[in-house]
Amino acid sequence: MFTLIEEADCGAIPGRKIDSTVTQFFGVRVSYDENRNDIRHAYPYCVDREGVPQAYKIRQVKEKKFSSIGKIKGLCGQHLFPAGGKRLVITEGEIDMLSVAQASLKHYGKIYPVVSLRSVTTLNEDLLAARDWIRSFDEVVFCRDADEAGEKAASEISKIIGRDKVKVASFGKYKDPYIVTGK
């Protein structure tokens, strides 16, 4: 069922300045065109105890279209981080999760806990299912997109997880998390 996805590399995503260390960590498969431009990302979901994904969310890069193989549910990346700790970052999208992880790796030499919502439309279901795990962290930082959906999501996550835990990140002129190189 996943043969074409699993044959793809856990390679870099140059346009977002994400290296293969990060994609390998999360098990994200990247397909490229003949010029080595990334054209498709496959994000693993519903990872079992043996580390095998039961579903993938597919992002077509150029068209920014999404589809899935298998039934995706839950938070992308949750299986990689044990409960508890100082801080958990939750992003609105998988590519944002990778960007936050890349920044963490670049600045601290380590990938700290970061997960992604599968969609703002499933936010309530996914957060309620993972609420105990999320609340096991001292602080939850929600990286919202700078749009109306992001604003609404920030309000909802604070209600579900608790205002005592949630902080909302803002990225100024940028719509969402992105690695800034200073060029």
Side-chain angles (χ1 to χ4, degrees):
M1 177 159 109
F2 300 130
T3 305
L4 290 176
I5 292 170
E6 291 169 349
E7 288 176 354
D9 294 335
C10 286
I13 303 173
R16 292 294 289 250
K17 298 176 178 58
I18 297 167
D19 67 36
S20 61
T21 303
V22 172
T23 57
Q24 287 173 5
F25 180 85
F26 285 96
V28 174
R29 304 295 181 155
V30 183
S31 297
Y32 302 94
D33 66 12
E34 63 278 352
N35 297 318
R36 198 74 181 147
N37 296 311
D38 58 304
I39 57 170
R40 186 179 314 104
H41 308 160
Y43 300 96
Y45 273 84
C46 309
V47 178
D48 67 19
R49 288 190 168 102
E50 287 79 39
V52 178
Q54 302 303 301
Y56 282 93
K57 181 176 176 182
I58 312 298
R59 176 187 179 148
Q60 301 294 335
V61 175
K62 189 175 181 182
E63 303 86 14
K64 197 176 178 183
K65 289 186 178 178
F66 298 92
S67 61
S68 62
I69 298 176
K71 178 150 175 56
I72 62 170
K73 61 181 178 178
L75 302 172
C76 186
Q78 180 180 348
H79 68 285
L80 297 168
F81 304 103
K86 183 175 180 179
R87 180 176 298 118
L88 169 68
V89 177
I90 300 174
T91 65
E92 267 192 72
E94 295 86 0
I95 194 75
D96 300 334
M97 172 187 72
L98 298 181
S99 293
V100 169
Q102 183 68 55
S104 171
L105 184 63
K106 179 181 176 184
H107 294 288
Y108 303 109
K110 179 180 178 182
I111 297 174
Y112 285 97
V114 56
V115 297
S116 172
L117 299 170
R118 64 181 153 139
S119 168
V120 293
T121 60
T122 60
L123 176 138
N124 289 348
E125 177 186 340
D126 294 340
L127 292 179
L128 286 170
R131 188 174 190 274
D132 290 341
W133 178 80
I134 294 168
R135 284 195 54 83
S136 74
F137 291 86
D138 296 340
E139 175 182 80
V140 177
V141 178
F142 179 55
C143 294
R144 72 178 192 89
D145 288 355
D147 57 19
E148 189 176 324
E151 191 172 318
K152 183 177 179 193
S155 175
E156 288 299 312
I157 194 170
S158 293
K159 289 177 191 173
I160 294 168
I161 304 306
R163 287 173 172 53
D164 62 317
K165 294 270 185 184
V166 176
K167 294 184 178 176
V168 178
S170 172
F171 298 97
K173 68 179 183 176
Y174 298 98
K175 179 184 175 292
D176 52 16
Y178 186 77
I179 304 294
V180 179
T181 61
K183 288 184 180 179

